[in-house]
Amino acid sequence: MTPLHLNPTWTARLDAYRAQHTDPRNQACHRIGIPMILASFPVGATLVGLPLAAALFTVGWGFQFAGHAFEGNDPAFFSDPSNLLVGAVWWMEKAGLVAETG
């Protein structure tokens, strides 16, 4: 699979996000929490999946907030809600699906 390449605007957004996520424990929590949150949406699209989706979503956010306790700062989306998307891009980069171009 060819990685997605970011334009300069998204590269800058990702750089700012990285600057707020430098603690390795925070990064580890985000590597677990972000995919749990993302997976909760398609799982929750079915009535059968709602309990599992709720658990994925809640536990995923628990990892996010625990990570920020290690980092000693607030989640990036507190200051800019669009950072919810940037976090997903950050995770995609960690998974090898995004190649920054600048």
Side-chain angles (χ1 to χ4, degrees), residues 16-17 20-21 30 68 73-84:
Y17 188 90
Q20 295 178 14
H21 298 82
H30 279 55
H68 281 283
N73 64 13
D74 288 332
F77 78 91
F78 279 12
S79 62
D80 182 355
S82 69
N83 277 312
L84 291 167

Side-chain angles (χ1 to χ4, degrees), residues 4-90:
L4 174 69
H5 290 277
L6 300 178
N7 67 24
T9 300
W10 276 92
T11 297
R13 295 180 71 108
L14 187 57
D15 288 343
Y17 188 90
R18 276 194 214 106
Q20 295 178 14
H21 298 82
T22 59
D23 187 288
R25 298 166 297 178
N26 186 19
Q27 290 181 21
C29 286
H30 279 55
R31 283 189 183 120
I32 298 166
I34 290 173
M36 291 179 78
I37 294 165
L38 294 175
S40 74
F41 295 112
V43 169
T46 67
L47 288 177
V48 176
L50 283 177
L52 176 57
L56 286 168
F57 190 84
T58 302
V59 173
W61 277 109
F63 275 105
Q64 299 293 86
F65 285 106
H68 281 283
F70 291 126
E71 189 80 48
N73 64 13
D74 288 332
F77 78 91
F78 279 12
S79 62
D80 182 355
S82 69
N83 277 312
L84 291 167
L85 293 175
V86 179
V89 173
W90 176 89

